[in-house]
Amino acid sequence: MDILQQDIMYLPGVGPNRKKLLSEELGIETYGDLLEYYPYKYVDRSKVYHVHELTGDMPFVQVVGRILSYETFDMGPHKERVVAHFTDDTGVMDLVWFNGGKYVKQNYKVGVDYLVFGRPTVFNNRIQVQHPDMDEASKVDTSAMGMQPYYNTTERMKKFGMTSRGVERLTKTLIEKLKEPLAETIPDFILHSRHLMGRDEALRTLHYPQDSRQLERARVRMKFEELFFVQLNILRYASDQRHKYRGYVFNRIGTTFNTFYHEHLPFELTGAQKRVMREIRKDVCSGRQMNRLLQGDVGSGKTLVALMAMLIAIDNGFQACIMAPTEILAEQHVQTIQAFLQGMPVRVELLTGIVKGKRRREVLEGLADGSVQILVGTHAVIEDSVKFSQLGIIVIDEQHRFGVAQRAKLWRKGSEGEVNAVPHVLVMTATPIPRTLAMTLYGDLDVSVIDELPPGRKPVRTTHVFDSRMTSLYDGIRRQIREGRQVYVVFPLIEESEKIDLKNLEQGFEVLSQAFPEFRLSKVHGKMKPAEKEEEMRRFVSGETQMLVATTVIEVGVNVPNASVMVILDAQRFGLSQLHQLRGRVGRGADQSFCILVTPYKLSEETRKRIDIMCQTNDGFRIAEADLKLRGPGDLEGTQQSGMAFDLKIADIARDGQIVQMARDEAQKIVDDDPSCQSERYQMLWNRLRELRKTNVNWAAIS
């Protein structure tokens, strides 16, 4: 048995109770888990200071000296403060303990030399260190100490005496126990070409580095390993899909497409739209299945591109399907597509939960006999009763609302006619994803980007207003509504404080109703019944109401070109990508639109940065990059909902973009060279990948 698979309980110093604690608090079950529980920081223990050099603003320091005497101060029932007066003959400082004083006085003797380590502060003009680490100086070789690791622990662990120092002692015991070098997981040819440290040296160095340069090399090695196997898994999966499934070949551009392009196109395509159409055209002619992610900000014209791809399918005798996350968004897609195709002989139908009875039967019959050429729907299109005559392309709007299994179920509907041939897939998202994250989240998809807005669209003007200025904000809203515009007012609804938030929204609705008695208001939140919600949305979309008071349920997909103002209350409680999505609800018409971020005056530094970025730019990619740096990949909109928050122990997708790219390049070479995973040269890698897939890392979700 591999020593790293050994149960942590059998490591000296652990036992059943500590095993339970380590397992429940940190997920550490084996020797290997402990070895991969990396320190979060290091302190240089090789330098020894003199007392007279110390100041109250220094980080951790160590001093060698002796205790002159103890003083004890009563702190109330069963509590005392113990102070040791300590000197190294250059000055005197105090060592202070607020608990454990009895142990201290018994174990640290007056007149013995100790190495004291801790953070200095100043109290009554005297340097003091609270709860220092202490070792007998004669038993410590400071020149061999190097950098001391610090490990994150929980409050519960600290209660049981398991501090960072406790974890460090266990790690030290484990490393001393590992007499044989640890097995390598990356072949020599990659280690040499990328100048990477060996695995055994890297893991030992991460816990006990001699200097910062060596530590950095060890970090790069282990980050590369982690990201490399994620990329290898994704690319192997994508390659497997490509070899397993052929895509239908759309080799003609016919009457339907040409009529639309020359007679119905509402405006000249942007350069970005033309580029994406060329990429799609190449995919659907290639004989392999298109799996493409189409990224573009709200209003960049993704739906138009998707429609043209669907018209190519129709010209080649196939049907097309567009799947949306909500009924209201599906209905809007139908209206948009029908408006684009007005007067053309293309049958477009809607299939959602509200399409019932005779109407539903007609749609299902039309799909089965091929007379319905474009179907727009929600999850309802996956139902077993839905059968296509020949489904050739699937467009999925807002990817993170649909799982991989749901996408596959749709594929199978289109592959009933021809063995191993499947419909093409185009996934659209209005959440711009930074390149490094897209490589990992959507690694199995080719990425296209629409990075231009259609002509005539004015960028939304974003301003930051403090909540003490609501009166003048109301005046501005009133002016916009009198000019015939509509307004969104969004309240936060964050799950931890749902009841309070809901109450705030209800009260806010009352306040706004009183502040704007001359206007009609709609109200929408996630706790309403779907039918009520749809009705309130419909009233706003049709213009019956002038103001929509809502939570973030309106974040995705509502298209009201007449709405020109987005007011976001308590904007400090939203993430950047959420603010950007909400702002995308306005700016859809030709008028100048506004987004007003309302916050209290007192804000944290990070929140100020978020608000400033929103006011400075409308570029979704700049915002997504900033969001990734501020929050990390696990929190990003769309990643957590889909179970794709990565279980990465050392790499950071936000900050390790170069290593992500390096890992991907190496993984790509291997998959290209050995698509069937049979080559002896790469067996070490394929075996390691199989091992990793058995661990608790959610590899399937990552791909």
Side-chain angles (χ1 to χ4, degrees):
M1 180 183 170
D2 178 0
I3 190 167
L4 295 183
Q5 300 300 314
Q6 179 75 269
D7 191 323
I8 195 71
M9 182 167 84
Y10 300 111
L11 184 72
V14 179
N17 292 341
R18 280 191 161 179
K19 184 229 162 120
K20 190 167 184 280
L21 193 65
L22 287 167
S23 169
E24 288 173 359
E25 297 298 298
L26 302 179
I28 292 173
E29 305 269 354
T30 64
Y31 286 8
D33 293 338
L34 179 61
L35 198 59
E36 290 186 2
Y37 189 67
Y38 302 118
Y40 71 95
K41 71 170 183 181
Y42 303 83
V43 173
D44 187 355
R45 293 291 303 262
S46 59
K47 182 169 170 53
V48 177
Y49 289 84
H50 292 296
V51 171
H52 74 87
E53 295 176 292
L54 303 185
T55 62
D57 57 359
M58 294 171 89
F60 290 91
V61 297
Q62 54 190 4
V63 182
V64 174
R66 62 194 180 282
I67 295 170
L68 296 169
S69 62
Y70 281 106
E71 270 189 278
T72 304
F73 299 88
D74 186 26
M75 301 281 288
H78 314 298
K79 282 195 170 185
E80 60 178 20
R81 173 166 56 102
V82 171
V83 178
H85 305 301
F86 182 89
T87 185
D88 67 350
D89 297 327
T90 71
V92 177
M93 62 189 270
D94 291 337
L95 310 178
V96 183
W97 291 267
F98 293 97
N99 44 48
K102 189 176 169 192
Y103 172 88
V104 168
K105 286 185 284 189
Q106 279 172 356
N107 287 276
Y108 302 135
K109 309 292 184 206
V110 172
V112 176
D113 279 349
Y114 289 103
L115 175 73
V116 167
F117 174 76
R119 190 192 287 275
T121 56
V122 176
F123 181 71
N124 283 344
N125 294 324
R126 182 113 145 210
I127 291 287
Q128 70 168 24
V129 175
Q130 295 180 9
H131 292 273
D133 283 346
M134 293 185 57
D135 294 285
E136 213 170 304
S138 62
K139 294 177 181 171
V140 179
D141 175 7
T142 53
S143 66
M145 286 185 82
M147 298 168 80
Q148 182 174 340
Y150 275 73
Y151 299 85
N152 276 316
T153 57
T154 65
E155 287 308 312
R156 186 169 162 233
M157 288 173 74
K158 284 171 191 158
K159 273 186 198 156
F160 287 92
M162 181 64 80
T163 59
S164 165
R165 195 74 187 269
V167 176
E168 186 204 337
R169 286 192 188 106
L170 294 179
T171 308
K172 193 171 188 195
T173 304
L174 173 60
I175 287 175
E176 285 166 358
K177 211 173 166 54
L178 299 173
K179 303 293 185 205
E180 297 295 316
L182 295 164
E184 187 50 80
T185 52
I186 303 228
D188 284 347
F189 65 86
I190 296 180
L191 295 182
H192 293 148
S193 71
R194 294 293 182 175
H195 309 291
L196 294 170
M197 194 182 254
R199 187 167 195 261
D200 181 75
E201 186 187 355
L203 279 167
R204 292 172 195 267
T205 299
L206 275 169
H207 294 284
Y208 291 103
Q210 286 307 304
D211 55 52
S212 54
R213 190 171 161 278
Q214 190 197 27
L215 171 62
E216 190 48 34
R217 285 195 63 219
R219 271 187 173 144
V220 167
R221 154 61 209 235
M222 294 314 294
K223 285 177 178 185
F224 175 85
E225 176 175 325
E226 207 165 47
L227 293 165
F228 172 76
F229 283 107
V230 169
Q231 293 297 338
L232 189 63
N233 187 55
I234 290 166
L235 292 169
R236 184 206 54 78
Y237 167 81
S239 164
D240 199 34
Q241 295 298 100
R242 273 199 289 274
H243 285 89
K244 199 184 288 182
Y245 298 111
R246 293 191 308 105
Y248 296 119
V249 179
F250 300 164
N251 51 17
R252 49 191 297 268
I253 296 282
T255 315
T256 312
F257 183 92
N258 283 321
T259 304
F260 176 75
Y261 192 83
H262 296 295
E263 297 172 26
H264 291 257
L265 206 59
F267 46 76
E268 171 74 14
L269 294 182
T270 62
Q273 285 172 313
K274 287 176 180 170
R275 183 184 68 239
V276 173
M277 276 312 300
R278 282 195 296 273
E279 290 166 349
I280 290 171
R281 180 98 178 79
K282 193 175 164 194
D283 283 350
V284 298
C285 289
S286 69
R288 69 179 183 86
Q289 185 199 23
M290 172 172 76
N291 260 310
R292 189 164 284 282
L293 174 70
L294 176 55
Q295 287 184 255
D297 255 335
V298 171
S300 60
K302 295 185 297 297
T303 308
L304 182 59
V305 167
L307 173 60
M308 291 196 294
M310 292 192 282
L311 296 179
I312 294 173
I314 291 168
D315 273 338
N316 285 272
F318 289 90
Q319 294 162 295
C321 169
I322 181 163
M323 199 163 155
T326 65
E327 291 193 350
I328 195 156
L329 187 51
E331 283 169 27
Q332 288 191 342
H333 275 314
V334 166
Q335 287 160 13
T336 305
I337 290 168
Q338 284 173 338
F340 276 142
L341 299 174
Q342 203 166 19
M344 287 182 65
V346 176
R347 186 175 168 194
V348 182
E349 292 288 2
L350 176 71
L351 189 65
T352 65
I354 55 172
V355 179
K356 292 188 166 74
K358 183 176 174 235
R359 185 87 200 90
R360 190 179 191 84
R361 269 197 315 279
E362 286 170 358
V363 173
L364 294 177
E365 283 164 12
L367 286 172
D369 66 23
S371 60
V372 171
Q373 291 148 297
I374 296 178
L375 179 71
V376 183
T378 53
H379 291 78
V381 304
I382 303 175
E383 289 168 13
D384 292 339
S385 59
V386 180
K387 298 219 176 343
F388 290 83
S389 163
Q390 188 73 304
L391 178 61
I393 186 167
I394 302 159
V395 178
I396 300 177
D397 197 4
E398 289 301 333
Q399 150 73 359
H400 61 259
R401 310 291 164 125
F402 297 110
V404 176
Q406 289 168 317
R407 276 169 28 202
K409 207 166 176 192
L410 254 180
W411 283 5
R412 286 194 287 276
K413 287 183 179 297
S415 57
E416 286 153 12
E418 194 178 328
V419 180
N420 281 350
V422 290
H424 298 289
V425 177
L426 182 66
V427 174
M428 302 194 295
T429 178
T431 311
I433 303 153
R435 231 175 114 264
T436 52
L437 189 59
M439 265 190 251
T440 312
L441 265 183
Y442 299 110
D444 60 324
L445 304 179
D446 298 312
V447 179
S448 288
V449 177
I450 301 182
D451 47 12
E452 292 173 63
L453 283 179
R457 285 279 171 93
K458 294 184 179 132
V460 178
R461 211 174 282 162
T462 305
T463 51
H464 177 203
V465 172
F466 293 120
D467 53 15
S468 52
R469 309 246 351 258
M470 293 304 280
T471 310
S472 60
L473 175 59
Y474 286 172
D475 290 342
I477 290 173
R478 209 168 270 114
R479 275 196 301 277
Q480 285 288 313
I481 297 178
R482 284 193 178 129
E483 284 173 22
R485 313 273 176 270
Q486 287 167 282
V487 176
Y488 295 102
V489 179
V490 176
F491 283 80
L493 184 57
I494 314 295
E495 277 172 21
E496 299 91 77
S497 52
E498 212 165 71
K499 287 197 175 80
I500 303 165
D501 283 328
L502 218 49
K503 198 168 149 201
N504 287 349
L505 180 123
E506 301 287 1
Q507 286 172 348
F509 184 76
E510 291 305 316
V511 168
L512 289 164
S513 301
Q514 286 162 20
F516 300 98
E518 68 272 46
F519 303 127
R520 289 188 299 282
L521 282 67
S522 285
K523 174 174 65 178
V524 175
H525 57 78
K527 293 282 180 229
M528 292 165 76
K529 289 191 177 111
E532 287 178 308
K533 200 159 57 180
E534 297 282 336
E535 175 55 20
E536 288 293 289
M537 291 288 238
R538 188 201 59 73
R539 289 174 66 218
F540 185 68
V541 170
S542 67
E544 282 174 45
T545 54
Q546 287 83 41
M547 189 183 291
L548 178 61
V549 182
T551 58
T552 51
V553 291
I554 59 141
E555 184 188 328
V556 173
V558 186
N559 183 15
V560 185
N562 192 45
S564 64
V565 181
M566 167 62 71
V567 178
I568 304 173
L569 299 168
D570 280 329
Q572 77 282 358
R573 292 179 59 192
F574 294 89
L576 262 176
S577 63
Q578 230 181 355
L579 290 172
H580 183 61
Q581 281 278 354
L582 287 166
R583 174 168 64 185
R585 299 299 108 221
V586 295
R588 290 165 165 255
D591 303 302
Q592 178 62 59
S593 289
F594 305 89
C595 176
I596 293 97
L597 307 175
V598 182
T599 72
Y601 186 73
K602 201 172 174 188
L603 295 173
S604 72
E605 187 57 35
E606 189 183 298
T607 304
R608 250 174 228 289
K609 276 186 197 158
R610 276 211 307 271
I611 302 290
D612 288 349
I613 290 162
M614 285 297 296
C615 294
Q616 286 159 12
T617 183
N618 283 291
D619 181 339
F621 287 94
R622 268 189 64 194
I623 287 165
E625 290 285 357
D627 202 19
L628 188 56
K629 286 201 169 71
L630 286 171
R631 303 205 292 161
D635 296 335
L636 269 190
E637 207 57 39
T639 61
Q640 275 196 334
Q641 297 100 308
S642 55
M644 292 192 186
F646 312 122
D647 193 0
L648 296 176
K649 292 183 174 128
I650 190 167
D652 178 334
I653 291 186
R655 292 171 181 81
D656 295 326
Q658 275 181 301
I659 304 176
V660 174
Q661 187 64 61
M662 181 164 87
R664 188 170 181 90
D665 291 347
E666 288 297 334
Q668 189 70 64
K669 282 183 214 165
I670 285 150
V671 170
D672 290 347
D673 198 31
D674 185 20
S676 60
C677 311
Q678 298 298 316
S679 167
E680 194 55 45
R681 178 173 162 83
Y682 305 121
Q683 279 317 295
M684 173 196 282
L685 297 174
W686 301 127
N687 291 339
R688 177 67 177 158
L689 195 56
R690 275 191 286 275
E691 272 172 44
L692 286 167
R693 290 178 74 92
K694 290 179 200 157
T695 66
N696 59 0
V697 178
N698 194 350
W699 291 86
I702 287 175
S703 74

